[in-house]
Amino acid sequence: MKNKPAFAVAVTGFSGIAAQVILLRELLVTYSGNEMTIGLILSAWLIAEASGAFSAGRRLERSPRKLGYFIALTLLFSVILPVSVYYSRFIRTAVGAAPGEGLGLAAVAVSSLILVFPAGFLHGALFPAGCGLYSRFRVKAAEENSRQDIISRVYVMEIAGTVSGGVLVTYLLIPYMNSFEAALAVIMLNITALLILAGSRLPFSVSVRRVVFSALLVLVFFPSLKLMRGLNEKSAAFRWPGQNMVYYGDSVYGNLAVTETGGEFTFYSDGVPVISVPFPDTVEIEDFIHLPLLMHPDPGKVLVISGGAGGVINEILRHGVKKIDYAEQDPLVIEKVKEFSAEPGPGELDREPVKLHYRDGRMVVRETERLYDAVFIGFSLPSTLQINRFFTVEFFRQAGKILREDGVLVIRLPGSLSYLSEEMRDLNAALLGSLENVFEYVRVFPGDGLNIFTASRSPDSVLVSARKSRERLDRIEGVKVMSPEYIRYRHREDRAEDFYRSVRGLSAELNRDFSPIGVYLSQRYINSKFSPGTNRFLDFFTGYSPERAYIPGALLIAVFGAAGYFSKKPLDTAVTFCIGSTGFASMIFDLTLLFAFQAVYGYVYYWAGMLIAFFMGGAASGALLARKKIPVAGAFGNLAFLEAGVIIFAAGLYLVLKIPVDDLLSGPAASALIHACFIIAAFCAGGLTGAEFTLASDKFPAGGRGVIRRAGVLYGADLTGGWVGGFLGGAVLFPLLGLPGTLLVAAVLKAMSFLFLLYCGAVNNYRGSAS
Amino acid sequence: MRKITRRRFLFYLIGVAASLSWVKYFIENIRGGSSVSEFNDTRTGATPPARVEPEKEAMFYEKAGGGKVRCRLCFRECLVPEGERGFCRNRQNTGGRLYTLVYSRPSAVNIDPVEKEPQHHFLPGTEMLCFGTAGCNFRCRHCHNWHLSQRSIEEVGSYMKITPQAAVNLAVEKNIPTVSFTYNDPISFYEYVYDTARIARRKGVRVLFHSNGSFRPDPLRELLKYTDAVTIDIKGFSEKAYDNSEARLDPVLESLKIIGLSGVWLELVNLIIPGLNDSADEIRRMCRWIKDNLGPEIPLHFSRFSPAYRLTHLPRTPVSTLEEAFRIASEEGLEYVSIGNLPGHRRNSTFCPACGNKLIERVHFEVRSNRIRNGKCPGCGHKIPGVWE
């Protein structure tokens, strides 16, 4: 291999994306998280990387042992990764949670930072170490100028590794390996790269080296594989102490675990129990199914979106329904229900009226030609963008189109018969308003634990008396809770009146695909249980009004003005800020495209991977273009141009998101066009980011601080910006402002950095002419 | 050694200060802001600045010098400084006197079947008018009414103004035979419970309360004078089980003895939580204690756990565990054992301990038939303890 450092650096890129995905998946199971959690975990990784990059850049600049450092950092990183995976399964106990206790956002933020910091720090340090390595191997001249483009070369190579890593992780590691096995794959690849890098220093011939290294790899691999499998089993069982684990595995949609105790099976999706057979929560299921269906004169065709297995289908079948379409996106769930569970689990799914669809429920709704008497949404809290898609005005409209005139849509939300807390009220009010925006008749059955919402265009299947429902009891058999007395109890008007009195008059924003207020309100509800103080932090942002922006705005201008004026190298300061703010903006763009795609098409895993790959590909292309095509003399002007480009891109994306996509989605040609638009947008966003970074690192002189240190500063700034974007975007901006609002925030920030760049350029010119 | 410049020093100082502030903030909020401290942090992180005005002086407290007061209502005996509140969040020291903040301020008023308490031997098939408000002296991680019990009255936000007299009048108006104090623990709104119970007794309305039982003896004895029935939660029979509620077992056992001697109708409920209090040994020790100290006729309800509040990652209690608990209790000689939160199970119902006949058929909270006549089994004439009329 001729370009050994290039391969080593590319492997570093691969290792980084693999480590992020592996740890993210593990922590999502630990925390049972949503997009806010993803934002916190990724931002923890980024700040760890930034710290590593900053620290290593300073140390490595003058160190003669650049190869040694690179090898040591790579080995340390490789060992730390499986250790981090192991401890991710214990971290809840480490922060003081009781067995079975969930964690709030604050605890997630702290614990995820502690957990990912070692691996992230080491990986961040590998970027300047890679620059040092490259300068040692590939650049013979000691002149500063000829070393200047090292940063951009290493950046491009690392991106190449990241892109190929993203593809390999998506299609190979995650579907076929557990987290420890995937970590082992990373370790072996890193060892291979190091052997290739350092092997030439050994006094053996090439063929002898090949034999020895191959033997070494085999000797390391097989015992390590056995060790990793043992660690996986042991640490997975720790999550469910005292229970007999019969299955633990991952699909592309998440983690599934099945435990058994005394012949009863509990299915956990990302750590949360979702199915219990053969004794499910009878009250919950019978309420959910029979209260609405007993109001319908004759339900013949029913659609269930998620949550049908484990008793729900069984209850629907009692009504003599002719057709049940059940959409469950993850086939692994159904496979394991059939394999492991007890009745009513397997039997209900094999009955003749039931047809399974292993697809996103929203796609099923969009594409079906059937008309249904009832559509049941099995989710009960729109706490993730993925689930929120089934609680939006846009979805309700789609569902309305596939319901007969007297058909009924049924959803559930957290509730209480004793008292509705503020968070519950807000969430219920928003969803009630969203339903009433689409359906003329909406009725709520308040319940202990869950409120049931029924919505229809006709009063005949919603505004039905208890007496009528009791009369229809004859058509079902074998129910446990549903009785004439129970139906009278659940139809009590005082309960419904109390509920409406609680929620009426609350200013309720509608829940929409691109303005997912349901996610924000769900997060507030979750926070009220686990970390109420976090809601005060979020309230700070909801209390914001433009009139209050003047003082902080003036302060901000003063701070920037002083920073530029008093800085010894104002242009360096401005360039670093540009890179940092573009890091923020590019994270926002990345997340916007992923979330928008998710909102429109559902969690189509491979396409999400493609979007990331095209983003990184755009970054590599932009970097190459900036290296070759832009002269040093034009650096300032071109950077300003790119800054303006980012602002225009943010504004353009904002306008595109305003287009009602649902109306355009019919037909394969339109769908293909929209897919292409997402890919082009991802590529352009990446291109702008890559070009800016290369421009900043290549064409602006590093000066006395040295190339490697400058690499650390710029990379660290990029990562820090990405960290802020991930943290703030995921936790606050997206749920609160929606996608378009968040893009405006990114555009405003870039406008600030653009103006700051011009200002610092002017200060720099003034000082140059004055001297 | 590298020279430290002023800029570098300032940078490090700001960084350390910011880091410490964040760490402090996060640590305070990791557990929802609540703490076991005797009198600090009784507000959660979400408590708004405005506070409810104290209007009614509390019962059962004494002055402790230095402006502090010692509450004597429950086992915690909080020492409360001026301006602070006790652990339950409902009793505040203002000017050297202890006041209750929730008197006549119920947040939840509902009509529920008496079986929901659970009470199986007290006026079966009737309804009760239930009152609850904010605050609690326990911190159970699985509380189903956490949005009331684990918050201060300010955080709960909305409450009604219903005096004790009005509460009893409401029950009379609606022809409901019993008022009940439930949802959050009545210890934390003792004065309201006490005054309402006294008026209810005069008006012929029965009084029931559902508690964790951690009273101090004097307040308990005083309240029992005006009480007709009590449901006590036994969280478990070990300190580990009570750690989940940041409480202790011993005070509960003392209270049970007092109630047992008072003649007030008592039923017990034990929510079995997987991995926390479900060991056969623990259940056996509990059943043995109940029989030895309270007698074999005390009804004991084993309840099935379902994920709630902060305990969201545990499975539901296996039915086999509940049935094993039933078997142990029967072996230890307890005569009226039932299984709850498992609708349709045979042991939702009440059976005669002498002849085995089904006396009250029950599914969940609904009584479908009641064959008890004059307090006796219609089959063998065995006297069934309870309050039947």
Side-chain angles (χ1 to χ4, degrees):
Chain A
M1 184 173 288
K2 285 188 181 172
N3 199 343
K4 293 169 189 169
F7 179 68
V9 167
V11 167
T12 301
F14 167 85
S15 303
I17 187 74
Q20 279 183 69
V21 172
I22 290 167
L23 287 174
L24 181 67
R25 289 182 69 98
E26 284 295 325
L27 289 175
L28 281 178
V29 178
T30 298
Y31 301 135
S32 305
N34 58 5
E35 286 82 3
M36 286 190 192
T37 323
I38 293 173
L40 288 174
I41 296 168
L42 286 181
S43 62
W45 177 270
L46 289 173
I47 200 68
E49 283 224 17
S51 308
F54 273 127
S55 307
R58 293 158 64 89
R59 282 193 184 284
L60 285 170
E61 182 58 45
R62 289 177 182 78
S63 168
R65 299 195 197 93
K66 292 182 173 50
L67 175 62
Y69 265 112
F70 186 85
I71 292 173
L73 285 170
T74 303
L75 285 173
L76 265 174
F77 170 77
S78 302
V79 168
I80 284 286
L81 180 58
V83 172
S84 300
V85 171
Y86 186 78
Y87 281 105
S88 71
R89 299 178 179 185
F90 296 84
I91 194 76
R92 278 222 317 260
T93 313
V95 296
E101 186 176 4
L103 290 182
L105 272 187
V108 167
V110 171
S111 56
S112 58
L113 183 63
I114 293 169
L115 193 83
V116 308
F117 198 87
F121 184 91
L122 290 166
H123 189 263
L126 278 169
F127 181 81
C131 294
L133 182 77
Y134 206 84
S135 72
R136 183 194 175 284
F137 269 83
R138 301 289 296 176
V139 178
K140 291 192 170 50
E143 299 295 331
E144 195 60 32
N145 285 345
S146 64
R147 297 178 69 211
Q148 185 71 35
D149 65 351
I150 287 169
I151 302 173
S152 60
R153 283 172 192 255
V154 171
Y155 184 68
V156 170
M157 283 182 288
E158 195 175 281
I159 288 177
T162 305
V163 172
S164 43
V167 174
L168 277 169
V169 164
T170 302
Y171 290 92
L172 185 64
L173 263 54
I174 297 303
Y176 299 110
M177 298 182 194
N178 62 50
S179 297
F180 285 94
E181 288 168 342
L184 179 60
V186 171
I187 293 171
M188 296 310 298
L189 199 55
N190 276 305
I191 292 175
T192 306
L194 291 180
L195 286 172
I196 291 170
L197 196 61
S200 56
R201 295 162 71 94
L202 296 173
F204 300 121
S205 66
V206 170
S207 48
V208 170
R209 282 207 300 265
R210 279 183 188 158
V211 169
V212 169
F213 292 164
S214 303
L216 196 63
L217 287 171
V218 168
L219 279 172
V220 167
F221 176 72
F222 285 104
S224 302
L225 183 64
K226 194 175 170 194
L227 171 67
M228 294 298 172
R229 284 180 174 162
L231 284 174
N232 184 54
E233 236 174 78
K234 183 181 164 190
S235 57
F238 184 78
R239 280 189 166 131
W240 293 277
Q243 298 177 57
N244 175 30
M245 179 162 298
V246 297
Y247 176 77
Y248 182 90
D250 295 287
S251 71
V252 294
Y253 303 101
N255 175 266
L256 182 70
V258 184
T259 63
E260 179 267 340
T261 311
E264 295 177 46
F265 295 87
T266 305
F267 292 71
Y268 296 83
S269 171
D270 287 340
V272 177
V274 291
I275 298 173
S276 303
V277 285
F279 302 109
D281 190 325
T282 308
V283 176
E284 189 182 294
I285 292 177
E286 287 199 16
D287 275 3
F288 180 44
I289 298 303
H290 300 307
L291 286 176
L293 287 186
L294 285 174
M295 291 199 296
H296 195 284
D298 183 22
K301 295 197 177 83
V302 174
L303 171 64
V304 179
I305 296 178
S306 191
V312 163
I313 300 288
N314 200 49
E315 294 305 318
I316 296 173
L317 285 167
R318 294 191 199 281
H319 288 261
V321 170
K322 296 179 191 57
K323 191 84 197 161
I324 302 176
D325 284 314
Y326 172 29
E328 187 68 71
Q329 194 169 39
D330 189 355
L332 183 66
V333 172
I334 304 299
E335 179 194 323
K336 295 307 166 191
V337 164
K338 288 186 178 182
E339 182 180 339
F340 287 115
S341 99
E343 294 299 338
E348 66 184 338
L349 302 176
D350 290 331
R351 296 269 295 274
E352 201 268 326
V354 181
K355 184 174 178 199
L356 290 163
H357 302 263
Y358 297 121
R359 301 181 69 205
D360 172 56
R362 215 154 141 173
M363 299 296 280
V364 171
V365 168
R366 193 177 287 141
E367 293 172 2
T368 187
E369 288 171 2
R370 235 177 223 132
L371 285 180
Y372 293 96
D373 298 298
V375 174
F376 288 90
I377 306 300
F379 304 108
S380 58
L381 184 67
S383 58
T384 70
L385 286 167
Q386 160 67 2
I387 297 174
N388 186 67
R389 295 161 60 243
F390 297 99
F391 291 85
T392 62
V393 168
E394 291 86 352
F395 173 74
F396 295 154
R397 283 200 191 113
Q398 287 174 349
K401 288 179 190 167
I402 64 163
L403 281 168
R404 290 187 202 281
E405 188 58 30
D406 61 355
V408 60
L409 172 68
V410 187
I411 68 169
R412 299 180 291 182
L413 287 172
S416 170
L417 284 177
S418 58
Y419 175 79
L420 272 186
S421 66
E422 179 192 325
E423 293 82 11
M424 275 188 211
R425 283 200 304 269
D426 289 345
L427 179 60
N428 279 265
L431 271 298
L432 178 65
S434 303
L435 272 172
E436 287 177 336
N437 182 268
V438 176
F439 294 95
E440 195 179 339
Y441 301 96
V442 179
R443 180 178 183 175
V444 182
F445 289 94
D448 252 339
L450 291 171
N451 293 338
I452 298 170
F453 292 71
T454 57
S456 178
R457 290 193 295 278
S458 160
D460 296 338
S461 49
V462 168
L463 303 181
V464 173
S465 66
R467 183 186 58 81
K468 199 80 185 163
S469 291
R470 289 200 300 266
E471 283 169 11
R472 290 174 180 154
L473 258 180
D474 292 339
R475 73 179 184 211
I476 58 176
E477 284 180 1
V479 286
K480 291 184 178 134
V481 176
M482 284 292 141
S483 67
E485 178 57 28
Y486 186 76
I487 290 173
R488 185 198 67 80
Y489 172 73
R490 292 298 272 119
H491 275 248
R492 265 171 54 179
E493 285 177 3
D494 60 326
R495 302 267 199 218
E497 280 163 11
D498 284 344
F499 170 81
Y500 284 111
R501 204 178 309 123
S502 296
V503 301
R504 283 283 179 242
L506 291 176
S507 64
E509 197 179 318
L510 298 182
N511 190 30
R512 295 188 184 276
D513 285 342
F514 292 162
S515 288
I517 195 70
V519 178
Y520 174 73
L521 294 174
S522 296
Q523 190 62 50
R524 282 186 58 88
Y525 169 73
I526 294 168
N527 289 343
S528 68
K529 287 195 219 183
F530 296 106
S531 56
T534 311
N535 279 346
R536 292 194 76 185
F537 171 72
L538 294 176
D539 285 345
F540 173 77
F541 291 94
T542 54
Y544 175 79
S545 63
E547 290 77 27
R548 287 166 56 180
Y550 293 131
I551 293 172
L555 271 171
L556 219 55
I557 290 169
V559 164
F560 275 107
Y565 188 77
F566 291 108
S567 169
K568 287 183 185 173
K569 295 180 192 247
L571 215 46
D572 271 4
T573 308
V575 168
T576 306
F577 184 73
C578 285
I579 295 302
S581 58
T582 297
F584 172 88
S586 75
M587 175 61 88
I588 296 295
F589 296 151
D590 213 3
L591 292 176
T592 298
L593 289 170
L594 283 172
F595 294 162
F597 197 91
Q598 193 174 53
V600 173
Y601 285 108
Y603 183 52
V604 190
Y605 184 83
Y606 297 133
W607 272 99
M610 293 293 278
L611 282 175
I612 293 171
F614 271 93
F615 182 94
M616 301 306 283
S621 306
L624 282 169
L625 206 65
R627 275 196 63 224
K628 296 198 180 316
K629 299 286 184 193
I630 296 177
V632 175
F636 180 85
N638 280 289
L639 185 60
F641 175 75
L642 284 171
E643 285 282 289
V646 176
I647 299 168
I648 292 166
F649 183 82
L653 208 53
Y654 170 85
L655 291 172
V656 165
L657 285 179
K658 291 288 190 188
I659 299 171
V661 173
D662 267 346
D663 298 337
L664 303 173
L665 273 175
S666 52
S671 185
L673 181 65
I674 290 168
H675 276 79
C677 289
F678 271 103
I679 288 171
I680 292 167
F683 192 84
C684 292
L688 287 165
T689 310
E692 262 211 29
F693 187 89
T694 302
L695 199 60
S697 58
D698 268 12
K699 313 296 180 187
F700 286 85
R705 283 187 179 171
V707 170
I708 297 168
R709 189 169 166 184
R710 183 90 178 123
V713 168
L714 289 177
Y715 195 57
D718 182 38
L719 292 171
T720 304
W723 166 68
V724 174
F727 177 77
L728 215 58
V732 179
L733 297 176
F734 280 116
L736 206 51
L737 303 179
L739 274 59
T742 307
L743 285 168
L744 275 183
V745 169
V748 164
L749 183 68
K750 286 312 297 174
M752 282 165 54
S753 80
F754 174 68
L755 293 171
F756 187 52
L757 179 69
L758 296 180
Y759 168 71
C760 289
V763 168
N764 194 57
N765 287 344
Y766 172 75
R767 286 188 191 166
S769 61
S771 63
Chain B
M1 190 174 162
R2 185 191 288 165
K3 186 182 169 186
I4 297 181
T5 62
R6 270 178 294 188
R7 180 194 280 185
R8 194 184 300 279
F9 176 76
L10 204 62
F11 176 75
Y12 283 144
L13 194 65
I14 291 169
V16 167
S19 304
L20 284 174
S21 306
W22 275 106
V23 167
K24 179 176 179 294
Y25 167 79
F26 282 128
I27 286 174
E28 276 175 358
N29 283 284
I30 277 176
R31 294 292 300 275
S34 67
S35 79
V36 195
S37 158
E38 202 174 351
F39 52 80
N40 287 331
D41 292 335
T42 54
R43 295 172 293 165
T44 70
T47 301
R51 287 184 158 206
V52 163
E53 280 308 309
E55 290 173 356
K56 170 86 175 172
E57 191 168 355
M59 299 167 67
F60 297 103
Y61 78 96
E62 60 198 34
K63 300 196 182 191
K68 294 180 186 170
V69 295
R70 172 83 65 187
C71 178
R72 293 286 191 193
L73 192 54
C74 81
F75 77 105
R76 295 191 191 276
E77 299 189 272
C78 296
L79 182 64
V80 188
E82 168 67 39
E84 297 290 339
R85 301 182 186 186
F87 187 89
C88 65
R89 301 187 173 110
N90 282 350
R91 298 161 86 74
Q92 179 171 299
N93 179 349
T94 301
R97 291 177 186 272
L98 192 64
Y99 289 86
T100 167
L101 299 174
V102 291
Y103 189 85
S104 296
R105 289 172 174 151
S107 296
V109 180
N110 289 300
I111 300 171
D112 284 329
V114 75
E115 281 75 19
K116 200 176 174 186
E117 206 52 65
Q119 280 277 342
H120 283 188
H121 291 229
F122 182 82
L123 304 179
T126 63
E127 289 177 324
M128 47 184 188
L129 183 62
C130 301
F131 295 86
T133 185
C136 188
N137 69 333
F138 273 30
R139 296 281 186 266
C140 302
R141 290 190 179 100
H142 55 278
C143 183
H144 274 264
N145 294 305
W146 60 271
H147 41 282
L148 280 171
S149 68
Q150 303 306 303
R151 300 183 134 181
S152 64
I153 190 73
E154 290 91 348
E155 288 168 289
V156 165
S158 69
Y159 50 84
M160 294 161 261
K161 198 78 178 139
I162 303 180
T163 62
Q165 182 66 60
V168 175
N169 289 346
L170 192 58
V172 171
E173 250 168 59
K174 290 184 181 293
N175 205 22
I176 296 172
T178 310
V179 290
S180 168
F181 302 95
T182 181
Y183 306 131
N184 65 320
D185 203 282
I187 290 175
S188 65
F189 57 117
Y190 181 90
E191 291 76 10
Y192 185 63
V193 174
Y194 181 75
D195 285 354
T196 309
R198 287 176 67 194
I199 297 170
R201 178 55 65 88
R202 286 202 302 267
K203 294 280 188 180
V205 175
R206 309 288 182 110
V207 175
L208 185 160
F209 66 83
H210 185 158
S211 170
N212 56 44
S214 62
F215 293 87
R216 286 196 71 254
D218 289 343
L220 177 59
R221 286 193 184 98
E222 187 59 30
L223 182 58
L224 287 172
K225 290 177 188 170
Y226 305 101
T227 306
D228 297 283
V230 180
T231 302
I232 297 290
D233 263 313
I234 304 183
K235 308 292 181 188
F237 214 70
S238 64
E239 290 307 327
K240 176 189 166 194
Y242 274 82
D243 282 345
N244 181 54
S245 306
E246 297 181 25
R248 291 194 342 248
L249 171 61
D250 288 349
V252 178
L253 299 182
E254 287 308 308
S255 295
L256 285 175
K257 288 180 190 169
I258 292 170
I259 301 170
L261 288 172
S262 70
V264 171
W265 180 252
L266 170 66
E267 297 195 24
L268 303 174
V269 60
N270 175 227
L271 179 71
I272 300 184
I273 303 176
L276 190 72
N277 63 354
D278 59 346
S279 80
D281 172 66
E282 186 172 333
I283 291 171
R284 190 174 292 280
R285 283 188 289 109
M286 176 182 74
C287 294
R288 200 165 283 166
W289 188 95
I290 292 170
K291 186 182 168 212
D292 291 346
N293 291 275
L294 302 175
E297 293 185 329
I298 295 289
L300 172 62
H301 309 273
F302 290 114
S303 235
R304 190 187 194 200
F305 166 82
S306 60
Y309 187 30
R310 299 173 74 101
L311 287 189
T312 50
H313 290 56
L314 289 179
R316 295 196 158 80
T317 315
V319 173
S320 55
T321 305
L322 292 163
E323 291 176 343
E324 175 67 7
F326 173 86
R327 188 190 63 75
I328 292 170
S330 302
E331 269 177 18
E332 292 297 324
L334 295 180
E335 294 179 353
Y336 300 99
V337 184
S338 67
I339 291 175
N341 284 351
L342 192 60
H345 194 277
R346 187 163 183 266
R347 292 296 164 185
N348 286 174
S349 301
T350 299
F351 295 82
C352 175
C355 67
N357 271 340
K358 190 186 287 186
L359 297 171
I360 302 176
E361 186 184 354
R362 204 178 285 109
V363 175
H364 201 41
F365 304 140
E366 184 190 342
V367 169
R368 297 204 175 161
S369 69
N370 182 358
R371 299 175 60 229
I372 293 178
R373 297 288 174 267
N374 301 316
K376 291 181 183 169
C377 169
C380 66
H382 185 79
K383 191 163 186 293
I384 311 296
V387 178
W388 306 112
E389 287 170 19

